Amino acid sequence: MNNKTTIPFGPQHPVLPEPLHLKLVMEDEKVVEATPAIGYVHRGLEKLAEVKDFNQNVFLVERICGICSVMHAQCYVQGIEAMMNIEIPERAKYLRVIWAELHRIHSHMLWLGLLADAFGFESLFMQCWRDREKIMDIMEETAGARVVISINAVGGTRRDLTSEQMAKIVRVVDEIAADMKVLEGALLNDYTVKHRLVGIGTLTKEEAYALGAVGPMARASGVAQDLRTMGYAAYKDLDFQMVVEKDGDSWARTAVRFKEVLECIRLIKAAISKIPAGAEYCVPVKGNPTGEVISRVEQPRGEVLYYIKGNGTKNLDRLRVRTPTFANIPTLLKMIPGSHLADVPVLLLTIDPCISCTER
Amino acid sequence: MISNVTEISKDQLLSEAQKMSGQGYRFVTASCVDLGEDKLNVIYHFDKNTELTNFRIAVKRGEEVPSISATYLCAVLVENEMKELFGLNVTNIAIDYGGHFLLTPEALKNPQSKITIVQKGDN
């Protein structure tokens, strides 16, 4: 007797902050097939970019996703700068790293909180978000906004950091590092939390690579792949240490993001200690971009790729964005079949889905 | 300005994808560019140790392009996306959403293709 049942999971579901649909084919409580579907909030931003001028597009790409807004803009301006042969001030490279790593902390703390919420650990969720809030306060104090902070510009950055602001950033990230030691006990070592994460949704190194996984998804399966090793911006001077785990399960994905917060803190402090003095953080830009370029940076969720084609006018012929969630969705085809229905929300969260990015 | 890009014909696409897979390259994505007059360029991006290798094919809209999803399953999303947003006729996609990956039945066809404004009459 065929006792298969098809369950629609999402697009509206308590665990989903954004709309993603999964068609789950079930045998009793076990998932035997999962097909993801998107398309609920597609905005056509790539098309909109063709009618904005290349400077306006900095603000547009920041709105692809709030949580990765700094890195979207960074990837875009790096591409335009490569097309126009613009050498930005050294100080701007360090400023970009500081704000990008602050953004990575706030993204990972947001995710760690959402994961705790997904498996029903409300107080842990609030503790993670309490620390995230400290980063949001820094954003507001240094850039005037909490999420979309608009600090990148073609030619450098739109703002500088004062020595007082940098001293405060060091003080706050040290506080967060101390809090992380407390959170480690609950997030990585607690018996009930491990029960929900260890051995759940395992993705081998070979599977992760073949399915095109990026970011913490790939690194949790032992794929040593992080674009910060390419040394863009000031990363080449900061002795970046990649975080890699081997088990490929939900616990490993949590551990990678947790440990990356500590690496972000180290990078921020290293960047602040080495930032070149000087008043110049942006150079004037003349002319219009022409030719083609591919620009890539490492966002909190993984590699983002921008393909940019200019035609010598202020408008671009094409702006193509491949976001990390777009690359990580295929892993669901492998991770979810074989799991229990109760684990689907946790599995879905472990790819850190950003549908705003995916449906740019 | 893109380094490491090779122009190939669409007939070479599958064999090049298989070579890339055999050499341990990761499929990153494909980028479709509408050149106007129903001409499309598709650039396939592959990565190994953070080095990109790119292949470009040139096709007419509606012309059949084979799917590489039998070699790289992860290509299904971008192939469905290019099919709907640009009208690229990708055939044999491992999971074909039948034109409803992103678009609804009422949506404009190929919404990211080049827009041509045609003036009608004296006004």
Side-chain angles (χ1 to χ4, degrees):
Chain A
M1 189 179 75
N2 183 2
N3 60 351
K4 286 183 182 171
T5 312
T6 302
I7 297 179
F9 184 96
Q12 305 299 326
H13 188 281
V15 81
L16 290 171
E18 297 170 85
L20 171 67
H21 173 72
L22 285 176
K23 190 173 93 175
L24 301 175
V25 180
M26 310 287 303
E27 274 180 2
D28 297 327
E29 282 294 301
K30 196 174 168 187
V31 184
V32 292
E33 191 183 324
T35 310
I38 57 173
Y40 299 95
V41 289
H42 199 278
R43 294 165 291 165
L45 294 183
E46 290 181 4
K47 192 68 190 164
L48 183 58
E50 293 171 18
V51 295
K52 301 286 179 189
D53 84 36
F54 73 92
N55 280 309
Q56 290 173 321
N57 279 338
V58 181
F59 302 102
L60 179 67
V61 299
E62 285 174 339
R63 280 150 183 84
I64 290 174
C65 166
I67 297 169
C68 332
S69 63
V70 164
M71 281 84 141
H72 270 298
Q74 187 178 2
C75 192
Y76 173 75
V77 297
Q78 281 184 185
I80 296 288
E81 285 156 4
M83 290 169 94
M84 300 177 72
N85 295 316
I86 297 167
E87 187 58 40
I88 68 166
E90 279 297 305
R91 187 174 176 85
K93 294 178 183 173
Y94 283 76
L95 291 170
R96 284 180 179 176
V97 168
I98 294 167
W99 269 303
E101 293 305 319
L102 284 168
H103 245 68
R104 195 180 313 276
I105 295 177
H106 112 68
S107 176
H108 282 350
M109 296 307 288
L110 179 139
W111 181 83
L112 290 167
L114 288 178
L115 180 77
D117 189 45
F119 54 61
F121 203 154
E122 287 290 324
S123 59
L124 185 57
F125 157 70
M126 285 186 270
Q127 285 199 34
C128 292
W129 278 39
R130 184 181 62 183
D131 277 322
R132 173 178 176 262
E133 199 61 24
K134 293 175 184 174
I135 300 292
M136 311 304 283
D137 288 342
I138 291 177
M139 302 285 192
E140 189 169 9
E141 199 170 321
T142 57
R146 284 165 53 84
V147 181
V148 181
I149 62 172
S150 298
I151 59 94
N152 282 294
V154 179
T157 59
R158 284 159 46 82
R159 294 171 189 274
D160 196 1
L161 287 170
T162 64
S163 52
E164 291 77 22
Q165 285 172 328
M166 285 192 270
K168 182 171 180 185
I169 290 171
V170 170
R171 199 166 63 246
V172 170
V173 295
D174 277 342
E175 278 174 30
I176 293 173
D179 289 348
M180 292 301 281
K181 285 185 183 156
V182 180
L183 290 175
E184 186 177 4
L187 275 166
L188 299 184
N189 300 323
D190 182 85
Y191 172 80
T192 49
V193 172
K194 286 176 87 171
H195 188 68
R196 293 301 307 271
L197 301 177
V198 173
I200 305 293
T202 302
L203 201 63
T204 65
K205 183 179 181 179
E206 292 72 26
E207 289 166 345
Y209 197 74
L211 289 167
V214 295
M217 280 297 297
R219 293 194 285 278
S221 294
V223 180
Q225 168 187 294
D226 190 314
L227 294 179
R228 285 174 287 179
T229 57
M230 292 166 68
Y232 63 86
Y235 286 108
K236 60 185 178 302
D237 303 325
L238 301 175
D239 188 27
F240 165 64
Q241 301 292 317
M242 195 188 322
V243 178
V244 182
E245 290 284 334
K246 299 238 182 299
D247 292 343
D249 57 2
S250 298
W251 185 89
R253 295 190 272 277
T254 308
V256 166
R257 293 184 178 105
F258 183 91
K259 291 172 186 174
E260 279 192 1
V261 172
L262 301 176
E263 177 61 11
C264 293
I265 290 171
R266 197 195 61 75
L267 284 169
I268 290 167
K269 291 171 71 176
I272 287 174
S273 69
K274 290 183 174 178
I275 190 167
E280 193 184 36
Y281 53 90
C282 196
V283 293
V285 175
K286 289 178 184 167
N288 294 313
T290 186
E292 296 174 295
V293 76
I294 294 169
S295 176
R296 294 189 292 168
V297 305
E298 188 73 19
Q299 287 189 338
R301 296 172 175 85
E303 167 197 60
V304 64
L305 177 144
Y306 274 60
Y307 165 81
I308 309 169
K309 186 177 183 200
N311 55 15
T313 72
K314 64 179 184 175
N315 298 112
L316 300 174
D317 264 356
R318 178 84 170 102
L319 176 65
R320 152 93 175 118
V321 186
R322 201 284 270 122
T323 61
T325 298
F326 201 89
N328 283 330
I329 284 177
T331 62
L332 295 173
L333 297 168
K334 178 67 195 167
M335 284 198 306
I336 293 182
S339 66
H340 287 92
L341 181 60
D343 289 327
V344 172
V346 171
L347 286 176
L348 194 53
L349 266 187
T350 60
I351 75 163
D352 195 2
C354 178
I355 306 305
S356 178
C357 270
T358 309
E359 305 219 34
R360 69 253 168 251
Chain B
M1 204 181 295
I2 302 178
S3 58
N4 215 4
V5 60
T6 310
E7 316 279 336
I8 59 169
S9 73
K10 62 169 188 163
D11 299 328
Q12 294 171 280
L13 180 60
L14 289 184
S15 61
E16 291 297 342
Q18 283 161 3
K19 274 187 213 165
M20 287 287 103
S21 174
Q23 291 169 23
Y25 278 82
R26 171 174 63 92
F27 175 69
V28 180
T29 194
S31 302
C32 190
V33 186
D34 190 336
L35 303 176
E37 299 174 344
D38 282 342
K39 290 179 192 162
L40 299 172
N41 264 192
V42 188
I43 307 168
Y44 292 82
H45 313 283
F46 299 90
D47 175 281
K48 189 175 180 183
N49 301 327
T50 71
E51 290 292 326
L52 272 183
T53 298
N54 309 286
F55 294 96
R56 190 198 310 263
I57 63 168
V59 291
K60 296 280 279 183
R61 199 187 317 279
E63 198 178 327
E64 289 191 353
V65 176
S67 166
I68 63 165
S69 57
T71 308
Y72 287 103
L73 178 62
C74 52
V76 293
L77 297 188
V78 72
E79 286 181 336
N80 275 282
E81 184 178 87
M82 292 190 296
K83 191 171 182 174
E84 292 180 23
L85 299 185
F86 289 90
L88 185 73
N89 186 8
V90 188
T91 55
N92 298 322
I93 308 178
I95 303 172
D96 194 332
Y97 288 81
H100 303 304
F101 177 56
L102 297 172
L103 301 181
T104 58
E106 305 80 33
L108 184 72
K109 280 190 177 171
N110 315 332
Q112 289 202 356
S113 53
K114 278 242 184 289
I115 299 168
T116 307
I117 299 170
V118 179
Q119 296 282 350
K120 288 186 176 174
D122 294 335
N123 298 322

